[in-house]
Amino acid sequence: MSKTHTPRIVITGIGAVTPIGNSVEAYWNGMMNGVSGAAPITRFDAADFDTRFACEVKDYDPLLHLNRKEVQRMDLFTQFAMSAAVMAFEDSGLNVEQINLERAGVVFGSGIGGMWTYHHQQQNLYDRDGKPDRISPFFVPMLISDIAAGHIAIRYGLKGPNYGTVSACATSSHSIADAFMLMQRGMADVMLAGGSEAVICPMGIGGFNAMKALSTRNDDPATASRPFDLERDGFVMGEGGGILVMETLEHAMNRGAKIYAEVSGIGLTDDAFHITQPAPGGEGAVRSMKLAIEDAGLVPEDIDYINAHGTSTPFNDRSESAAIRSVFGDHADRLSVSSTKSMTGHLLGAAGAIEAIAVSLAIANQTAPPTINQITPDPDCDLDYVANAPKQREIKAALSNTFGFGGHNATLCFKAFSE
């Protein structure tokens, strides 16, 4: 299919459950106010852990979107997914009686899946003398990371393409990229795409502690996530979920849908270098950004804002900054670059989804969210990181970067919508 005849893809609905707000409005207000979602862990007793804080979702009520039986049969990551999906579907104004359900689908991922389910079922096994009859028949359906996509489809009767993506912290960006490609290929008119994660549990925190990946700033959690700051000492674990309703422009226009932004290009690469560390100079990130810009039919000078992967780890922030300079040259000094992980923490497989939402809202509101906790400049990170307060500015085109263990790189390009 030639580029001139490829369908344009737009965002018509968004839903989010985040550590700084359980709705899209609350999430955006949290970013605009520079709110940190970090606080002492309440989901389990973390007294013996090196890290005793995280960005938990607060005051979450799954019964707003699910019945009690559904809640009992869903891991927390799926509950987050379903809440985000319900909000996005309602926001889009879609009516299942007026769309072709065989041309509507879901691509929704999780980097790890039902970690709490595994924890509880393993405890059941060990606490009852290892008798396998103590394992719940819902163990596997609650555990597997693709199950959220299945539940969303069942909720709305969506019979088009349906599967889960798994690529560590790039997971939900890959979900959005896959949905984008499926619609460009003509296989669907409507796709729900995103991701969710819920791994603030003993093995989740303990595992990342063992890697020395998490901040241990236990005396001041609110300032622990400090991307691009010289004093950064690791990322802060987050949880939650986000989802976009994506439609072909023709489908959206035919029903008079509101449009947040256009998904205009994607760049997908791998470092092929190391299981956890980025390639020197962010070489893989350089290629993913260049590919996304080219796919969108743009040049680097067209980009105004980048929502950076910006994890608050020494390796990532330095290499991503270098990659941005490599791609943009002198234009890098005219970019606004922010890491919303400074507020939400790192949602792993859900990061790409909630950050795509942040970019969509940044375009809709012509405002770049801040990077909070910018206290001590790092000479190796010398871009405009929108330090500590949002910045009103023209944003015609923007990128969202997500990079995952295994060397996975995904860059999404978004544009302000115009007919």
Side-chain angles (χ1 to χ4, degrees):
M1 183 178 291
S2 67
K3 192 74 174 179
T4 55
H5 293 95
T6 301
R8 293 170 64 186
I9 310 303
V10 294
I11 299 165
T12 59
I14 49 180
V17 177
T18 81
I20 60 172
N22 296 340
S23 69
V24 170
E25 181 181 10
Y27 174 42
W28 178 251
N29 288 339
M31 287 189 287
M32 291 300 96
N33 291 312
V35 173
S36 170
I41 290 171
T42 64
R43 296 207 179 279
F44 66 96
D45 183 357
D48 294 331
F49 288 71
D50 292 337
T51 297
R52 298 185 289 278
F53 62 93
C55 288
E56 296 178 339
V57 169
K58 299 149 188 81
D59 302 318
Y60 171 65
D61 182 4
L63 295 176
L64 291 175
H65 307 112
L66 300 164
N67 62 47
R68 292 189 183 279
K69 182 177 288 187
E70 288 173 325
V71 171
Q72 292 169 355
R73 295 179 178 181
M74 292 180 184
D75 186 89
L76 185 59
F77 92 95
T78 304
Q79 295 174 34
F80 289 154
M82 292 300 294
S83 291
V86 170
M87 286 187 277
F89 207 88
E90 291 177 352
D91 182 48
S92 73
L94 283 168
N95 184 332
V96 294
E97 296 179 357
Q98 297 175 341
I99 62 176
N100 183 347
L101 297 175
E102 294 182 0
R103 292 186 56 79
V106 185
V107 185
F108 194 94
S110 178
I112 299 178
M115 209 163 189
W116 267 117
T117 291
Y118 198 96
H119 171 83
H120 291 311
Q121 292 302 310
Q122 188 177 57
Q123 286 297 113
N124 285 346
L125 184 67
Y126 290 157
D127 292 347
R128 293 178 171 88
D129 301 320
K131 295 180 179 178
D133 61 349
R134 302 298 185 181
I135 298 173
S136 169
F138 293 101
F139 169 54
V140 172
M142 291 174 68
L143 170 74
I144 52 179
S145 57
D146 70 296
I147 202 67
H151 276 297
I152 294 167
I154 292 167
R155 175 73 173 247
Y156 295 106
L158 309 180
K159 298 181 178 181
N162 186 288
Y163 55 91
T165 53
V166 179
S167 51
C169 306
T171 291
S172 49
S173 289
H174 277 119
S175 295
I176 295 166
D178 279 15
F180 177 75
M181 290 188 286
L182 287 166
M183 285 191 288
Q184 283 193 328
R185 191 174 174 82
M187 296 181 69
D189 303 317
V190 178
M191 293 293 297
L192 277 65
S196 63
E197 206 78 85
V199 296
I200 301 175
C201 61
M203 289 299 289
I205 298 298
F208 281 101
N209 268 159
M211 295 178 63
K212 307 298 183 185
L214 295 180
S215 170
T216 55
R217 202 179 294 273
N218 294 298
D219 58 336
D220 192 7
T223 68
S225 184
R226 46 176 70 194
F228 308 110
D229 187 87
L230 184 64
E231 303 298 326
R232 64 191 182 276
D233 71 327
F235 77 84
V236 178
M237 186 76 80
E239 63 179 5
I243 195 163
L244 309 179
V245 175
M246 300 164 62
E247 297 182 59
T248 63
L249 177 58
E250 180 181 11
H251 191 274
M253 296 290 282
N254 283 343
R255 69 181 190 87
K258 70 176 181 298
I259 295 173
Y260 287 97
E262 181 175 354
V263 186
S264 57
I266 59 173
L268 311 175
T269 68
D270 195 83
D271 290 352
F273 171 71
H274 190 274
I275 58 171
T276 59
Q277 293 181 18
E283 181 272 338
V286 168
R287 288 184 290 112
S288 71
M289 285 187 278
K290 285 183 175 179
L291 287 169
I293 294 167
E294 179 182 357
D295 190 43
L298 303 176
V299 295
E301 290 72 24
D302 292 323
I303 304 300
D304 302 305
Y305 169 64
I306 299 176
N307 189 294
H309 189 52
T311 56
S312 187
T313 58
F315 281 119
N316 174 85
D317 297 0
R318 189 181 306 122
S319 68
E320 188 172 11
S321 296
I324 291 170
R325 283 226 166 265
S326 177
V327 172
F328 291 94
D330 292 341
H331 184 64
D333 294 317
R334 294 185 285 276
L335 291 168
S336 293
V337 180
S338 65
S339 173
T340 47
K341 289 184 180 72
S342 60
M343 296 171 279
T344 65
H346 192 352
L347 272 66
L348 306 184
I354 68 163
E355 289 161 17
I357 291 170
V359 173
S360 301
L361 294 173
I363 291 172
N365 292 282
Q366 293 291 284
T367 304
T371 307
I372 67 169
N373 300 324
Q374 295 290 283
I375 301 167
T376 307
D378 182 343
D380 291 329
C381 301
D382 59 352
L383 303 170
D384 173 10
Y385 299 111
V386 195
N388 301 314
K391 176 185 291 186
Q392 288 190 322
R393 61 158 296 164
E394 183 178 53
I395 304 177
K396 291 183 178 179
L399 300 182
S400 178
N401 283 336
T402 49
F403 314 133
F405 286 174
H408 313 301
N409 305 301
T411 299
L412 306 175
C413 185
F414 302 85
K415 292 194 300 190
F417 173 68
S418 63
E419 294 186 41

